[in-house]
Each structure stands twice: as structure tokens, then as C-alpha cells.
């Protein structure tokens, strides 16, 4: 099987999102071939380079999202009109303007819009979108009409970019900003959109241009994504857009995986943006997510919390699967098999130091713990996350000195303070597993959390845990640890004291937690789940392929039955050509760039 892995700001680069699980997936499925299509986020990320790639990665193609080179494409009058129609319709959907208003705002009559759709060749996509959105609306997704309008505009822009050689210049032009402004001022637009000022419009236009840069890439031909059996987007949003276009142009099935839902991330990371900017960008992310969900064969989430977000954004329940992130259990095996090595009076917190981890509540809770367990100690292990994290760490150090004034020599010295701030990599804690080994109870005090990786690491180490009820914590713990409400130092303290005083209970919970983690959250489980989904998708929606002889004619009975079994090919056979689209709409086979290899028994 040949998989097109689509990433944004991650694999195969040294740093970024989804790098680790993608690397484990590619290494774990060595019997399959991967073509990686990566979008980079910064010059720094590109300068850091790639991680070492295994042999089954056949090709890597990259494109930057942090800069846009001028494509030097000068659109003619008809192309400019089509761009105004498509971009105007997309902007109208984001602004909430009715269809008639959006057409009037962009100067497009009903007949012209119909002619545009026919010229763009997206009627087939429209019908597929309509069918899918009918089911989506039944589960609380976007209305069918709005979804169709967004799909028509998006694929219309894609068709235009393919014909003209790119739309980077058009999306960055003053005409695009004015089209967006007309859509915001159109009758029926949302109030927040109508209140958008010129700086807001420029910001939104810049974000849309960046998100739509994949439209101008040359990845969607028969020698690109058209040659793979399956597109797997490692995240939603812009990373899924090449998969949508590959499905539109070549019929390659799409799978979307999200360990963090992009729309939720947008809400959490843009609280200080102006209301108009937040509203328009959230509308774009929501429409793009809904389109990706309904066009995908399968949508996977990393936990039930993310799955609920996906369903709320329009994903059909029948398409949803939960695939937990895979953790490498080997570094924690020695600690997990020696549960009695920990200090029975020590609490441990491990993670990135930032305000969302709510270490302030943890310190106040530990002050209550010390009243009932005077010998208790707290080790906070982790590095600050950026400048904000560094400032927060300094605040926490000062607070610790204030809460335990008789034991600390000063705000910047450790002394005999029962609270220590440390990082891994030193002589006392050379590895993360050593941090968990140093304490009998691991504490998580976050107020915002997605999938709690640190909690799973503690479970693999066989440690009893006390956690706050946020994100996927309850789903991960599953009854093998204590869970308390967030921002409640008293409840957190009572749970910690209960475990410190009961070593037998700690041992039972730690053993149960380790067994649960080994059953659900290992790399092997993650790889096997994705492998099964790959086979399911390809069996339901295979890409038609034709074998050609030297004269370019189809070879009858050239593909043996063994060719459908996922094995590693070792010998050469006739050239393989990818035929895009369903069988009833198949075009002339095109010779691919790489030969198909067949097992020796099939010669």
C-alpha cells in the first residue's frame, strides 16, 4: 500500500506538531510505502532540518506556509471574474450573508454562478457534498446549503489555480481584500462581520491567503497524490486541504486524524483578537473542518473529548474512530516493574511549566498537605514553555518561598524548602522516568488539557495519580487514580493526603494504572489501529489502477490476486499507471513515474 502522509508544521521536521507519532507510524508500518507532503511553519523549522527517515519513505515534498513567493501569474479578465465569483462566495459564507446577497456583493447573477460551476467542473463535488452534508446536518453539522456554497467556492478556486498555475498573487491582492469587505458589508451578514474595520479585514485576508496556499501547489497530478492509495492528514485545517483537493481531482480516499481539534485550538489561542477577526477565522476553520469530515472516509480522534468536538463540527458518527496516541513503554519499564523504589512521602509533578498547568493551585494544595503530613515533599519537574512560562515559573518560585517562609532561605534559593523546582537531564534526574520514580504519587493540576501525556507516563511507571477533571483525564485514568475538580486546592490536598497515608491503596492503583496503560496507550496498539483502518478504507474505496505493456496497451490478467495482499514487493513487473476517479468516469491510463514490483511467485 502507498500512503500519502499530509502534515503541517511537523513530520518530517525535527520540531513541530505530530512529529513523534507520525515517525512511529511510518517506522511501525515498514511493509507499506509513504509519500510525505509537508507544510512548514517557519524558516527556523526548515533550518533545523529533518529527522532520519526510514527506507519506506519514498518521497518527501515540502512547501512553506510562513512565506509566499510571487507566482507571477497574471490573471486574464475571465479568470479575474471567476476569482471574484469564487472568493466572493467563500467570503459571503464566512460572513453569514444569504446566497442572493453574496451574489449581489460580488456582482454575480444566478445564471453566471451556474455557468461558473459548470466551467469549474465541480458539479460532481457539489452532489457528493450535498449527500454527505445531509447526514452531517442530522448530527448537528452545518446546513446543507451553506456547506455546498463553501465547497463550490473552495473547489472553484482550486480549479482556477490548477488552470492558471497558482492564485498566490490573487489571494494577496487588493481585489481580494475589497471582495472580503463587500461580503462583510452585504445585507444579512453577521453583526460582528459588519463591524470589521480595515485592519481587521487585512488580518483576515492574510490568514485566508496563508491557509489557502495549498491551492496553488502542483501536488495533485497523477505522479503526485494521484499515485497514492490513500491520503492520511495528520491534523485538520490546512493539513487536510491537500487531501481534499487530491480527492476532488483524482478520487483518492481521505483519512483525517486529529489529536487536537483545530477549531478548538483556534478558540483557545486567539482570545485577544478583535471580535470580527475571531468570528471570520472561526467560521473558516469550522467550514473547512466540516468539509474535511464529510469528504473523509474515516475521521479519527485521540480521545472522546476531541471526538465530541468533531461530531459537533459536522463529522458523521459512523465515520468516527478513537485511536489513542501511542506511547513508547520501554523507557518506563524498569520503573514500572519496581514500584517500591519511590520515596513514600514525595509528590511529583512533571510537565511544561505554563499558566494552564495551574501550579499556583498545586502549591496552595501542598500547603494544606503539609499541615496533615509534615514530612511530605513536592518535586516540580519541568522546563518553562517560552517567555510566558519563564515568568510563570518565577512567580511560582516566589509563591513557594512565601508559603514556606521558615524553611526557605530566600526567594531564589532552595535551602530546606519542601518544594523543589528541577529539570530532567541532570545528575539527580537524568531521564523523565527517574522523575516519576522519585515520588510515590504523581499529581496533575491543569485547568486546560488535551490528551494528558504526562499522566500516561506516570501510569506506565506504575504510579498512583491525583488529577484534575479536565480534557481526556477521566477517559485516560478509567478508575485507576483519583480525580478532583480543577482550581480546587482543598480537594487536591485531600486526595494527595489520602494516598500518602495508604501505601496499599497506592500499590493497587499503580498496578491497575500500569496494566491499563499497557493495554490502551502503547505504540503497538496505535500502529495496529491505523493499519486496520488503512486496510478498511482501501478495501471499500480502492484507487483503480491499470497495467500497461511496452506499447502502452492494457495487459489483461496482469495483476495477480497476491497483489491485493499488503506485502513488500521485491521484483520488477510492467509499468503501473494510476487511473483517477471511479470506474464509470475513468480516463485514459497515464504511465506513472515508478514501476510496480510483484512477488516472485506472481511472475
Amino acid at each position: 500500500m502507498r500512503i500519502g502522509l499530509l502534515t503541517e508544521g511537523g513530520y518530517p521536521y525535527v520540531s513541530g506538531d505530530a512529529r513523534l507519532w507520525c515517525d512511529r507510524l511510518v517506522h511501525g508500518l515498514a511493509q507499506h510505502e509513504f509519500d510525505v507532503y509537508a507544510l512548514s511553519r517557519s524558516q527556523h523549522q526548515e533550518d533545523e532540518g529533518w529527522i532520519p527517515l526510514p527506507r519506506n519513505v519514498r518521497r518527501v515534498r515540502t512547501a512553506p506556509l510562513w512565506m509566499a513567493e510571487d507566482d507571477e501569474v497574471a490573471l486574464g479578465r475571465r479568470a479575474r471574474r471567476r476569482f471574484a465569483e469564487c472568493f466572493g462566495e467563500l467570503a459571503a459564507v464566512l460572513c453569514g450573508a444569504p446566497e442572493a446577497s453574496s451574489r449581489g456583493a460580488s456582482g454575480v447573477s444566478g445564471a453566471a454562478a451556474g455557468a461558473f460551476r459548470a466551467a469549474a467542473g465541480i458539479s460532481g463535488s457539489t452532489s457528493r457534498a450535498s449527500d454527505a452534508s445531509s447526514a452531517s446536518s442530522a448530527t448537528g453539522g452545518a446546513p446543507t446549503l451553506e456547506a455546498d456554497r463553501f465547497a463550490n467556492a473552495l473547489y472553484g478556486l482550486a480549479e482556477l489555480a490548477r488552470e492558471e498555475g497558482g492564485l498566490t498573487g490573487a489571494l494577496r491582492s487588493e481585489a481580494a481584500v475589497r471582495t472580503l469587505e463587500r461580503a462583510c458589508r452585504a445585507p444579512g451578514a453577521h453583526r460582528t462581520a459588519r463591524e470589521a474595520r480595515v485592519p481587521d479585514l487585512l488580518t483576515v485576508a492574510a490568514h485566508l491567503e496563508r491557509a489557502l496556499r495549498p491551492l496553488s501547489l502542483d501536488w495533485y497530478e497523477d505522479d503526485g497524490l494521484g499515485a497514492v492509495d490513500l491520503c492520511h492528514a495528520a491534523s485538520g485545517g490546512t493539513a487536510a486541504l491537500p487531501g481534499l483537493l487530491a480527492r476532488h481531482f483524482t478520487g483518492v480516499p481521505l483519512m483525517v486524524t486529529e489529536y487536537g481539534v483545530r477549531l478548538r485550538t483556534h478558540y483557545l489561542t486567539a482570545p485577544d483578537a478583535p471580535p470580527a477577526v475571531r468570528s471570520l477565522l472561526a467560521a473558516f476553520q469550522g467550514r473547512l473542518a466540516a468539509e474535511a469530515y464529510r469528504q473523509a472516509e474515516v475521521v479519527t480522534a485521540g480521545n472522546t473529548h476531541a471526538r465530541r468536538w468533531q461530531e459537533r463540527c459536522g463529522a458523521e458518527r459512523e465515520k468516527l474512530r478513537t485511536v489513542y496516541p501511542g506511547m513508547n513503554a520501554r523507557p518506563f519499564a524498569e520503573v514500572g516493574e519496581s514500584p517500591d523504589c519511590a520515596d513514600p512521602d514525595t509528590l511529583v509533578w512533571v510537565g511544561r511549566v505554563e499558566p494552564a498547568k495551574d501550579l499556583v493551585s498545586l502549591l496552595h494544595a501542598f500547603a494544606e498537605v503539609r499541615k496533615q503530613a509534615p514530612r511530605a515533599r513536592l518535586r516540580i519537574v519541568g522546563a518553562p514553555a517560552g517567555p510566558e512560562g519563564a515568568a510563570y515559573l518565577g512567580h511560582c518560585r516566589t509563591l513557594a518561598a512565601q508559603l514556606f517562609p521558615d524553611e526557605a532561605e530566600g526567594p531564589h534559593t532552595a535551602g530546606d524548602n519542601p518544594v523543589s523546582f528541577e529539570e530532567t537531564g541532570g545528575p539527580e534526574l537524568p531521564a523523565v522516568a527517574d522523575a516519576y520514580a522519585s515520588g510515590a504519587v504523581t499529581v496533575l493540576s491543569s485547568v486546560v488539557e488535551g490528551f494528558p501525556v504526562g499522566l500516561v507516563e506516570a501510569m506506565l511507571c506504575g504510579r498512583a495519580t491525583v488529577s484534575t477533571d479536565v480534557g481526556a483525564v477521566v477517559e485516560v485514568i478509567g478508575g485507576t487514580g483519583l480525580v478532583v475538580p480543577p482550581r480546587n486546592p482543598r480537594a487536591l490536598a485531600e486526595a494527595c493526603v489520602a494516598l500518602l497515608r495508604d501505601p496499599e491503596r497506592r500499590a493497587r492503583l499503580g498496578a491497575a494504572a500500569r496494566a491499563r496503560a499497557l493495554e490502551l496507550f502503547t505504540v503497538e496498539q496505535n500502529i495496529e489501529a491505523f493499519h486496520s483502518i488503512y486496510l478498511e478504507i482501501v478495501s471499500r474505496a480502492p484507487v483503480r489502477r491499470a497495467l500497461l505493456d511496452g506499447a502502452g496497451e492494457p495487459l489483461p490478467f496482469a495483476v495477480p490476486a497476491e497483489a491485493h495482499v499488503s506485502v513488500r514487493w521485491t521484483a520488477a513487473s510492467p509499468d503501473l499507471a494510476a487511473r483517477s476517479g471511479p470506474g464509470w468516469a475513468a480516463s485514459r491510463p497515464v504511465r506513472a513515474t515508478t514501476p510496480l514490483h510483484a512477488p516472485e511467485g506472481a511472475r
Side-chain angles (χ1 to χ4, degrees):
M1 192 186 308
R2 190 173 178 183
I3 298 118
L5 188 60
L6 314 176
T7 67
E8 178 195 353
Y11 190 80
Y13 294 103
V14 171
S15 62
D17 303 334
R19 175 189 58 81
L20 192 57
W21 76 262
C22 286
D23 185 51
R24 290 171 177 169
L25 176 68
V26 173
H27 277 86
L29 295 180
Q31 72 272 35
H32 298 304
E33 296 172 342
F34 285 84
D35 290 353
V36 179
Y37 292 80
L39 300 170
S40 64
R41 288 181 179 168
S42 66
Q43 177 71 57
H44 175 69
Q45 186 177 55
E46 292 196 356
D47 291 342
E48 287 182 321
W50 300 348
I51 62 175
L53 300 177
R55 293 180 59 187
N56 59 324
V57 175
R58 294 167 51 95
R59 174 169 59 177
V60 177
R61 299 186 66 177
T62 64
L65 284 181
W66 50 274
M67 61 170 291
E69 299 179 356
D70 192 355
D71 50 21
E72 299 182 355
V73 174
L75 300 182
R77 180 179 300 178
R78 180 175 298 179
R80 289 198 303 270
R81 178 180 175 85
R82 285 180 58 188
F83 175 79
E85 292 171 355
C86 296
F87 192 75
E89 184 75 353
L90 185 142
V93 173
L94 303 186
C95 297
E99 188 169 11
S101 297
S102 66
R103 288 174 179 174
S106 58
V108 184
S109 65
F116 148 69
R117 292 188 177 95
I122 57 178
S123 58
S125 297
T126 303
S127 62
R128 290 195 300 270
S130 177
D131 295 339
S133 69
S134 297
S136 176
S137 60
T139 59
T144 303
L145 178 60
E146 296 299 307
D148 285 348
R149 292 174 60 198
F150 180 84
N152 288 346
L154 181 68
Y155 297 130
L157 288 171
E159 293 279 358
L160 184 59
R162 194 184 200 190
E163 295 173 10
E164 299 294 333
L167 288 180
T168 302
L171 290 169
R172 300 173 65 188
S173 66
E174 182 182 352
V177 178
R178 292 190 175 184
T179 300
L180 179 63
E181 182 181 19
R182 286 196 296 269
C184 291
R185 305 289 186 260
H190 294 315
R191 180 175 60 84
T192 52
R194 294 198 306 269
E195 294 174 352
R197 301 170 301 169
V198 172
D200 301 335
L201 295 172
L202 293 174
T203 300
V204 172
H207 276 81
L208 291 179
E209 184 272 326
R210 185 176 187 269
L212 294 175
R213 283 177 193 170
L215 297 179
S216 301
L217 300 176
D218 60 347
W219 292 356
Y220 315 112
E221 303 301 329
D222 289 330
D223 60 345
L225 286 173
V228 304
D229 298 300
L230 165 71
C231 284
H232 184 180
S235 64
T238 304
L241 185 52
L244 281 174
L245 300 182
R247 187 186 188 281
H248 175 73
F249 288 124
T250 65
V252 174
L254 171 64
M255 170 182 172
V256 177
T257 291
E258 288 184 303
Y259 286 114
V261 178
R262 182 59 57 90
L263 183 58
R264 178 178 180 270
T265 303
H266 169 77
Y267 287 142
L268 294 175
T269 57
D272 299 327
V277 174
R278 289 203 314 270
S279 174
L280 293 172
L281 294 182
F284 175 77
Q285 294 290 349
R287 297 295 182 195
L288 184 58
E291 180 64 16
Y293 294 156
R294 65 181 186 169
Q295 298 294 348
E297 299 292 330
V298 173
V299 179
T300 70
N303 53 72
T304 303
H305 181 65
R307 184 167 173 166
R308 286 196 296 266
W309 269 88
Q310 291 173 333
E311 192 170 348
R312 184 65 181 270
C313 292
E316 300 175 43
R317 187 169 299 177
E318 295 76 13
K319 294 182 177 181
L320 292 175
R321 308 280 194 280
T322 299
V323 180
Y324 294 116
M327 304 289 296
N328 186 5
R330 280 175 293 182
F332 309 101
E334 183 178 354
V335 176
E337 294 169 359
S338 306
D340 299 329
C341 63
D343 184 343
D345 298 317
T346 299
L347 303 174
V348 175
W349 179 96
V350 181
R352 294 181 304 173
V353 178
E354 56 186 348
K357 304 303 182 181
D358 198 15
L359 295 181
V360 171
S361 291
L362 176 60
L363 290 171
H364 283 289
F366 185 66
E368 296 294 324
V369 171
R370 290 278 293 179
K371 294 177 182 178
Q372 303 181 56
R375 298 183 59 183
R377 301 187 67 84
L378 172 64
R379 302 185 75 167
I380 296 177
V381 182
E388 185 181 20
Y392 187 69
L393 177 59
H395 172 68
C396 292
R397 289 180 181 272
T398 302
L399 178 61
Q402 293 173 349
L403 290 174
F404 309 99
D406 296 334
E407 300 174 80
E409 298 178 359
H412 301 294
T413 58
D416 293 328
N417 196 312
V419 179
S420 62
F421 295 86
E422 308 167 65
E423 294 186 24
T424 57
E428 292 189 8
L429 299 174
V432 176
D434 297 305
Y436 294 110
S438 65
V441 178
T442 299
V443 186
L444 184 144
S445 56
S446 302
V447 294
V448 176
E449 194 76 49
F451 185 86
V453 174
L455 199 57
V456 176
E457 292 175 343
M459 294 168 68
L460 289 171
C461 290
R463 292 298 179 261
T465 59
V466 177
S467 312
T468 49
D469 186 5
V470 293
V473 165
V474 172
E475 181 181 1
V476 169
I477 287 295
T480 65
L482 304 186
V483 181
V484 300
R487 298 188 189 278
N488 192 331
R490 183 178 296 276
L492 191 63
E494 291 175 355
C496 291
V497 171
L499 291 182
L500 289 175
R501 289 178 173 176
D502 194 342
E504 293 184 358
R505 188 183 184 189
R506 290 201 311 266
R508 289 196 306 271
L509 289 176
R514 176 169 166 77
R516 178 176 175 83
L518 289 174
E519 178 184 1
L520 297 178
F521 308 124
T522 62
V523 174
E524 293 76 15
Q525 172 272 334
N526 178 270
I527 293 173
E528 180 59 31
F530 278 125
H531 188 212
S532 299
I533 294 174
Y534 286 171
L535 296 178
E536 175 189 349
I537 293 175
V538 173
S539 66
R540 288 196 322 230
V543 177
R544 273 59 173 185
R545 298 189 183 278
L547 287 169
L548 307 180
D549 60 16
E553 296 296 328
L555 284 175
F557 308 107
V559 180
E562 292 85 350
H564 298 287
V565 180
S566 55
V567 297
R568 192 75 173 167
W569 308 118
T570 58
S573 75
D575 289 340
L576 173 68
R579 179 182 299 170
S580 63
W584 48 265
S587 59
R588 182 176 61 83
V590 180
R591 196 181 305 277
T593 57
T594 57
L596 175 70
H597 300 283
E600 295 186 6
R603 296 184 193 176

